[in-house]
Amino acid sequence: MSVIECRNLSKKFFGGKTALNNLTVSIEENKITGLIGRNGAGKTTLLKIIAGFLKESSGEVTVFSERPYNSLKVSANSIFIDDQMTYTPALQLYDLLIEADRFYPNFNMTLAKGLFEYFAFDPKYYHKRLSKGQKSTFNAIIGIAARCPLTIFDEPTTGMDEGVRKDFYRALLKDYIEFPRTIIISSHHLNEIEDLIEDILLIKDGRTYLHLPITEFKEYAIAIKGKKDTVLDWIKGKEIFYEQYAGVDTMYAVVKNDYTEKEFEKARMAGLEISSVRSNDLCVYLTNKSRGGIDDVFSGSQPV
Amino acid sequence: MSLAEVSLFDTVKKQFLFKVKANIDFYSSLITMQVFGIFFAFAGISYGSTSGWLSVTIHYYSVDAVIAFTVFWGFVTGVTILTKQYTDTDFIFITNRVSSTLSNILFLAATSLLGSVTAMLSKYLLLFASLYIFNEHIVLGDIMSAGDFLFGTAIAFLYVFLSCAVGYLIGTLVQINRIFIILIPALIIGSLILDGIQGRLPFVLKIYEFYFYESSVVLFILKTILTSAFCYIASLVILNRMEVRK
Amino acid sequence: MSILSFSFPFILIVILAGVWLVVFTVKKYFPAKATHWMLLIYTSVLLLAAVFVLFGIKGTEVVGNKSGDEKGEAVRIQGEIHDAIEQGKMPDIDKKFISAEKSFKLDASVLKIDSDWEGQNPYIVIERSAEIGQQVKVRIYSLTVQEVEGYALTKAINPPNIKMSGNLLLFSKPSFQEFKYAIFGEEFPINQFKYERRDGGGGYSLAEEYVIFVQIPDDLQIDEGDGVYINYLN
Amino acid sequence: MAIFHADDTRPIYVQIAEWLETEILNGNFQSNEKVYSQYQLAEMYNINPATAAKGLNLLVEEKILYKKRGLGMFVTESAKELIMEKRRTHVLTRLIRDVVLEARRLNISDNELVEMIKNVQKEEGEE
């Protein structure tokens, strides 16, 4: 059963900027989905539409079979965590937890308190005086403890240090195992969340570029390195995601993996090195505007 | 996972209680305004005359200033409660535009009531000061009776609440576009000038008379409640179309 | 004071107690911030002031009745006095208009009457009487109307002083008096619905007029001073 | 699917399957004994339960584990056998491939290579 359905979803902002462009996606219940994309790809816009904050310009979007915009049902069953959350300056951190507990029906106060103490928050402190990382940590506590059937984290680890990030992801995973729910995490660092997520949703230019299980994504592409001519010959007709040249005629290419095991044998025999591609790198290649990356900028602008 | 079914009523109730705790800035501004008004009332107008053997000082007190300041506070609060800082706070927790507006109305009503009670009570503070601090003879037919106090509070409440409602509508318009911050005062001043040129009774004055010169209690209640309702409904219709946490 | 007015202070005390009770019982849900204390102190001060005023107010501190009657009477008595002077019926005037009364023993055959009240010549009416014996009786009738914002506040005003030294009956201006009045306007939310709108502006006015009535024995001679104007009834 | 030989980049579910195989080989799980659930594995490895499930399913496909509905995954009777068989062929194939590739780079003919293998076998036999 899918919790979120988007069909040809578009969002144009006042002033003409198109954030989403005919995006179609369906997110299934009780899965952790990683939403990956470059800055400006439309991640936050998509999430805010799903959370009911923003209104779609065209297309269709349903969350829990209901249009999310201004829906009380969606609001009651979802939580949206990002680093822009402004809490009332009148309440202290602990009181904010109490308020969250009062609002969200599934809120787990024991867990919230536990995390609150683990991360050494002062109950009498105020949210706006926290550092960026502490703010994110506090928001994350609310996000996890709220146990909303749809939990959305938009760049949840902004400002967190390495240790806290690890703790956060582990806490999220453990609570997810105990209390499965639909979770979407957006990030531009896939390597951070790749073990945590079940599905990856890659968006590029406001559209769904890829949506598949992360295990398949890891085998989605392969890297081939070897003599330029041999490599070129071998990747002919394939979808090339990335290419790079080194030395006199060494070439490195990342292509879509639809080779058979036999073909790999042959390639090895031909002296090509075949390796897997790190998911994070693959994301970068897939979402780049051009195949060459930053180097193209320099090669294209030789001084006259 | 089963979905939580929440009722609008329940959400509004939660949100109202939350606002009572969260929007404490409005209490501070209310007290500041009223204390300011009380000082105004103290300073008041004093008139003195001395002949050879007689010295007379007459000190005029009125809590009208306190009530008027409270009415003004209502307007500002109505506008302020719709600024991004406050609406964003709403949408951290469960809400939609309807529950947000309803809980705002409840909050404004509650604080208006508080404001009108304290405004009317401030008369006793003035009486106290006059009697025990300034040792004055109080010239009065009667100290405000309980009936008058309740009646006056009710009417003051309607004024403050109306002012909140008007502020809320203007706050909504300002949320659509900042231009209204300039446009609304410009329209008012423009109409004043135009009426002045054409020698008519200024439109703004007519509005003032519409409420302040109404001598029938029933009509006054109808006028204020209907106007408030209109403002809130119009705001809700507009707010329903507006995005949040942009 | 109606029963409602009487019980009003009690209601306020109950409200005050209620506010504090609520605050203390829900304190754990109610983080005490500066604003809350401010609000609490502010409402408490207002309520306490109300209690003090409503319990502590004394009749004398609140002066003034709507002045219509008093003013009317003052006007009426002016007429009456003038009639009485013409008809020689001064003793019949209502006692309540007497603001001062004194009588003196007198052995001399000449009574000197004067006033040191500069700029004001007291109007003195003298009546000779056979029954009075060896004394002088002085009564001061006050026709003064002091008005503040339409309230008549005459009663509080001192009459001229009377002094007898030797055979000199001396009138002098009243002793110094200071009045501090506070006037509380009715709040506009209440005022708005009353037909008789008190727009204020009455301000303060004082119309002083005294008639001094002196009764003397038949055979006493009067030596008129420069500062008085005397009218003999017989 | 172990086509990629750089061990550190192998998918995590493959690593999990292999770890379970080792556990079975070491006798930590006997035949018909219940193994870890996908959730236990997810916690242990800090991964998504679905990924852990994929590792388990890999072993079910290879008949090393079998599923009892509602109860979990259990070790088959032939599990140890199958694992040993798999590792044998797997390791040998890989080694031979490396030998062949290296020989090709050094321009050693197939006959020469076979000769070399025979020599090694002979030496081993003499000892």
Side-chain angles (χ1 to χ4, degrees), chain A residues 205-218:
Chain A
D205 302 330
R207 290 167 184 270
T208 304
Y209 186 84
L210 267 183
H211 185 205
L212 72 181
I214 185 75
T215 48
E216 284 175 32
F217 180 75
K218 281 175 164 268

Side-chain angles (χ1 to χ4, degrees), chain D residues 7-97:
Chain D
D7 272 355
D8 53 340
T9 58
R10 274 183 318 159
I12 192 118
Y13 66 92
V14 176
Q15 295 177 36
I16 285 175
E18 203 158 276
W19 175 76
L20 275 173
E21 284 174 0
T22 312
E23 290 287 286
I24 294 169
L25 276 186
N26 293 344
N28 290 343
F29 290 110
Q30 300 296 329
S31 297
N32 296 318
E33 199 177 320
K34 191 176 177 229
V35 296
Y36 298 118
S37 73
Q38 65 180 102
Y39 297 107
Q40 285 170 311
L41 288 172
E43 269 222 53
M44 281 157 68
Y45 280 86
N46 209 18
I47 52 163
N48 191 288
T51 311
K54 195 162 178 183
L56 290 169
N57 284 333
L58 208 61
L59 296 179
V60 172
E61 275 168 33
E62 291 173 357
K63 305 233 173 352
I64 293 166
L65 297 179
Y66 66 97
K67 215 181 273 184
K68 271 196 203 166
R69 204 159 267 283
L71 291 175
M73 301 285 193
F74 294 82
V75 181
T76 56
E77 300 272 359
S78 53
K80 247 183 174 166
E81 205 87 339
L82 284 167
I83 296 164
M84 285 209 284
E85 175 62 28
K86 191 173 94 174
R87 293 215 169 164
R88 222 175 279 144
T89 49
H90 183 90
V91 172
L92 215 55
T93 316
R94 197 170 67 190
L95 285 173
I96 288 172
R97 185 161 49 207

Side-chain angles (χ1 to χ4, degrees), chain A residues 32 170 173-174 176-177 195-198 215 219 222 261 264-265 268-269 274 276, chain D residues 1 3-4 9 11 13 39 42-43 46-51 54 97 100-101 104:
Chain A
I32 306 182
R170 178 129 183 96
L173 179 74
K174 287 187 86 129
Y176 166 76
I177 290 170
D195 288 339
L196 180 72
I197 61 178
E198 181 168 350
T215 48
E219 289 160 20
I222 50 154
E261 194 132 353
F264 283 127
E265 282 306 314
R268 280 205 190 82
M269 291 303 186
I274 296 188
S276 60
Chain D
M1 282 283 275
I3 49 169
F4 306 125
T9 58
Y13 66 92
Y39 297 107
E43 269 222 53
N46 209 18
I47 52 163
N48 191 288
T51 311
K54 195 162 178 183
R97 185 161 49 207
V100 172
L101 275 173
R104 195 164 293 173

Side-chain angles (χ1 to χ4, degrees), chain A residues 53-158:
Chain A
F53 298 152
L54 303 184
K55 194 160 45 173
E56 66 277 13
S57 304
S58 66
E60 206 181 298
V61 53
T62 58
V63 176
F64 307 121
S65 328
E66 198 167 291
R67 186 185 177 217
Y69 179 74
N70 210 7
S71 153
L72 194 59
K73 183 181 170 193
V74 171
S75 179
N77 289 289
S78 67
I79 189 164
F80 178 91
I81 303 290
D82 69 351
D83 60 354
Q84 303 293 311
M85 292 171 90
T86 41
Y87 297 91
T88 167
L91 296 183
Q92 295 161 342
L93 292 180
Y94 194 75
D95 300 316
L96 290 175
L97 289 187
I98 292 171
E99 286 305 308
D101 185 27
R102 225 163 48 77
F103 273 95
Y104 288 101
N106 292 335
F107 196 88
N108 184 342
M109 194 59 180
T110 325
L111 175 65
K113 272 191 204 167
L115 291 171
F116 192 80
E117 276 161 29
Y118 175 80
F119 289 110
F121 279 108
D122 175 0
K124 295 217 177 294
Y125 213 62
Y126 290 94
H127 188 265
K128 66 172 177 190
R129 291 196 215 144
L130 295 173
S131 73
K132 202 160 186 164
Q134 285 174 312
K135 273 183 189 158
S136 294
T137 311
F138 182 78
N139 297 346
I141 292 176
I142 301 247
I144 295 174
R147 290 191 161 177
C148 286
L150 173 60
T151 303
I152 300 170
F153 288 105
D154 189 14
E155 305 278 354
T157 55
T158 311

